[in-house]
Amino acid sequence: MDEPLIRARALTKTFRRPDKGPGLAGSARHLITRKYTEHHAIDGIDLDVAAGEAVAYVGRNGAGKSTTVKLLTGILVPSSGEVRVAGVVPHQDRIANARNIGVVFGQRTQLWWDLPVRETFTLLRDMYRIPPERYRATLARLTEVLDLGPLLPVTGRKLSLGQRMRADLAAALLHEPPIVYLDEPTIGLDIEVKDRVREFLRDLVANGTTVLLTTHDLGDIEDVCRRIVIVDGGRIIHDGPLAAVRDELARERSMHVQPAVPVDLAAIRAALPGTEVSGEPGEFSIRFDRFAYSAGQVAAAVMGLAEIRDFRIDEPGIEDVVRRVYEGGLVESPTGAPA
Amino acid sequence: MPSVAMRPYLAIARISWRSALAYRIPFVLSLCMMVFNLLAMLSLWRVLLASGHPLAGFTWPEMRAYLLVSFVTGCLVSSFTDFTMAFRIQSGLVALDLTQPVHYQRARFAQCLGMTVLESATAAVVCGAALAAFGAIPVPALPQLALFLVSLVAVVPLKFLIVYSSGLLCFWTHNYLGVSFARAAVSAVLSGALVPLVFFPGWLRILAEVLPFQGIASTPALIYLGQASGWDAVRLIGIQLLWIAVLWAGASAAWNAALRRLTIHGG
């Protein structure tokens, strides 16, 4: 009845890494006495995703995001634990699972390198046995939203990264899957293309598709996902509404300032109580809580003391958020996980 | 009218030969290498058999026929299949193959069949040229010709399975080039493609006859020549089919085992 569409219980994936000593001697010894280190890429993940939900799955590089997606899509076989997606165990019934899902990997393409994009789409039409009228309608819709018209006759290898991503999104959605996994879909894209992809994903979610999006870029998930799951060291360290994370954990901003002439940092500290000022008189950074100060207020306070030659503002990165999760005591630090 | 279940695989076969056309230069180069090989073997055996005395039952026209048949089987199922497979496994692109609604092994076989269309066509052209240059070869009577055609068709799945199985070793070795060269060398000798098995010393001949390789060159060539006829030919075809069944099941099991140890690093 109410079983979630995606359900993982105590999901674990352990890789064995060969433990070789240094140099030729180490390699030779490894041939005789094989030693391995166990590496828990995913260490007991529990995750429920309801139909129609859009979940952001974020974490630092190596946190286990991609491995989780590969377990949910049936690419990898879990070392232990259970996983069910739309009633199917993905790695046991790959073909049934494949029909339910669409997958986009930001760093890999499913386009045929030497053939026009259109040929890849035709292959997918036959592979998923999409009825011709259905295929024509879906392709027409995707061509319009993703502006694929000029790309269809071009071979995969000649596409730019942004064009490739648009074509790959269409390729993953031709069979209109109810579940879509996106693994770092905006990696390496420029701002304009990123925005376009985000807008497309928003529409996808609005139309009822269940989306799981992994990223290490918090900007990706704004407006697309309501719920955020943060992973670190192969475990889920936070799971809740995105708004809360944004307000509680990602409220810190940093303004980096280069004044025209060196200024007294103590004066700036006095002008902006509650902020953290670090650096040199000739180039410094101000960390502030965006609920206590607006960026404009901070800039105005500095300009009252010195002429600004250049400045920029950093949004908090995923590193900051993960650190804040541990600091904020929202969860206990996972034991044994490398910090 | 192809069944609905076949539709994905037919599409894969079609796109496979379409994309092969995009690799014209490597295709032509490897064809040149094989033609050079064929010419070298023909010239060598012409000298050996120049006296007119048959060697181990082979006259010069028979040897020509033997070499041409083994050239044709050599053209079928190029190492394109295993190299693309190895590349996708090592680069992690295999992840995308695993999210498609097709059986991996059947899909690779379909891909290989698509290539075979192209390979058969080129083999036929080269054979025609060789016949014109080196003289005609004996053509067997109809029942024998039928047996030959069956054994020739059986070469495709058998050779595919040998190539595919060695491609699967990628999951364990991480460097495929060595595996591929080793397989090519072993298979060139033990299939009888270089030298007919009758010339082998006893122990090597026994080894060649228990292994599957003879089925990809020696078997169709001997049947074509009539050196294996009647029940003898049927027995050899039976061995081909047996190996196809064994290797198909074995490769499926190996694939499932390989997936348990699949590691894909990075996004």
Side-chain angles (χ1 to χ4, degrees), chain A residues 86-162:
Chain A
V88 174
V89 178
H91 56 274
Q92 282 172 5
D93 201 348
R94 281 207 173 75
I95 293 184
N97 182 57
R99 292 186 186 288
N100 295 331
I101 65 167
V103 193
V104 176
F105 290 107
Q107 304 187 48
R108 307 184 203 282
T109 178
Q110 62 168 323
L111 303 172
W112 280 64
W113 217 225
D114 304 292
L115 294 176
V117 170
R118 189 189 292 281
E119 296 272 336
T120 299
F121 289 176
T122 316
L123 174 70
L124 292 169
R125 177 196 69 195
D126 292 335
M127 234 186 222
Y128 287 92
R129 298 186 217 150
I130 308 168
E133 325 77 60
R134 193 75 175 268
Y135 171 75
R136 265 195 297 276
T138 315
L139 183 59
R141 186 169 50 78
L142 290 170
T143 303
E144 201 199 315
V145 221
L146 290 166
D147 191 18
L148 297 176
L151 309 185
L152 290 177
V154 182
T155 56
R157 73 161 78 244
K158 293 207 176 108
L159 298 178
S160 71
L161 195 57

Side-chain angles (χ1 to χ4, degrees), chain A residues 35-296:
Chain A
K35 276 203 292 187
Y36 293 94
T37 325
E38 302 243 299
H39 166 65
H40 301 284
I42 286 293
D43 195 3
I45 294 264
D46 293 325
L47 183 70
D48 284 343
V49 179
E53 232 184 332
V55 178
Y57 200 74
V58 304
R60 299 183 275 199
N61 285 330
K65 303 185 297 284
S66 278
T67 306
T68 308
V69 171
K70 283 171 192 137
L71 289 167
L72 296 177
T73 48
I75 293 167
L76 295 177
V77 181
S79 306
S80 67
E82 288 168 29
V83 55
R84 278 179 96 77
V85 176
V88 174
V89 178
H91 56 274
Q92 282 172 5
D93 201 348
R94 281 207 173 75
I95 293 184
N97 182 57
R99 292 186 186 288
N100 295 331
I101 65 167
V103 193
V104 176
F105 290 107
Q107 304 187 48
R108 307 184 203 282
T109 178
Q110 62 168 323
L111 303 172
W112 280 64
W113 217 225
D114 304 292
L115 294 176
V117 170
R118 189 189 292 281
E119 296 272 336
T120 299
F121 289 176
T122 316
L123 174 70
L124 292 169
R125 177 196 69 195
D126 292 335
M127 234 186 222
Y128 287 92
R129 298 186 217 150
I130 308 168
E133 325 77 60
R134 193 75 175 268
Y135 171 75
R136 265 195 297 276
T138 315
L139 183 59
R141 186 169 50 78
L142 290 170
T143 303
E144 201 199 315
V145 221
L146 290 166
D147 191 18
L148 297 176
L151 309 185
L152 290 177
V154 182
T155 56
R157 73 161 78 244
K158 293 207 176 108
L159 298 178
S160 71
L161 195 57
Q163 293 172 327
R164 205 216 78 197
M165 178 47 61
R166 272 147 58 201
D168 257 315
L169 275 170
L173 298 172
L174 276 173
H175 60 291
E176 301 174 273
I179 306 168
V180 175
Y181 301 98
L182 303 139
D183 193 4
E184 306 265 4
T186 59
I187 206 160
L189 300 184
D190 56 41
I191 300 282
E192 200 189 330
V193 185
K194 266 189 188 177
D195 282 344
R196 188 178 202 141
V197 169
R198 279 177 207 156
E199 193 188 320
F200 177 76
L201 295 180
R202 261 202 312 274
D203 290 347
L204 195 66
V205 173
N207 291 328
T209 307
T210 307
V211 171
L212 187 100
L213 172 72
T214 82
T215 183
H216 63 268
D217 179 356
L218 289 176
D220 264 3
I221 55 185
E222 203 104 25
D223 304 332
V224 176
C225 305
R226 283 255 183 86
R227 174 176 163 202
I228 181 170
V229 175
I230 304 176
V231 278
D232 198 53
R235 295 176 181 210
I236 292 178
I237 59 169
H238 181 76
D239 183 347
L242 175 63
V245 167
R246 203 175 43 212
D247 296 347
E248 292 305 315
L249 304 174
R251 55 197 295 170
E252 208 167 70
R253 297 282 183 278
S254 287
M255 184 181 290
H256 306 281
V257 183
Q258 278 182 20
V261 288
V263 288
D264 181 11
L265 296 187
I268 290 179
R269 283 190 192 103
L272 294 164
T275 63
E276 201 179 298
V277 182
S278 58
E280 310 285 321
E283 184 171 1
F284 54 91
S285 303
I286 305 164
R287 281 216 322 220
F288 61 97
D289 183 330
R290 71 185 170 100
F291 291 110
Y293 292 98
S294 72

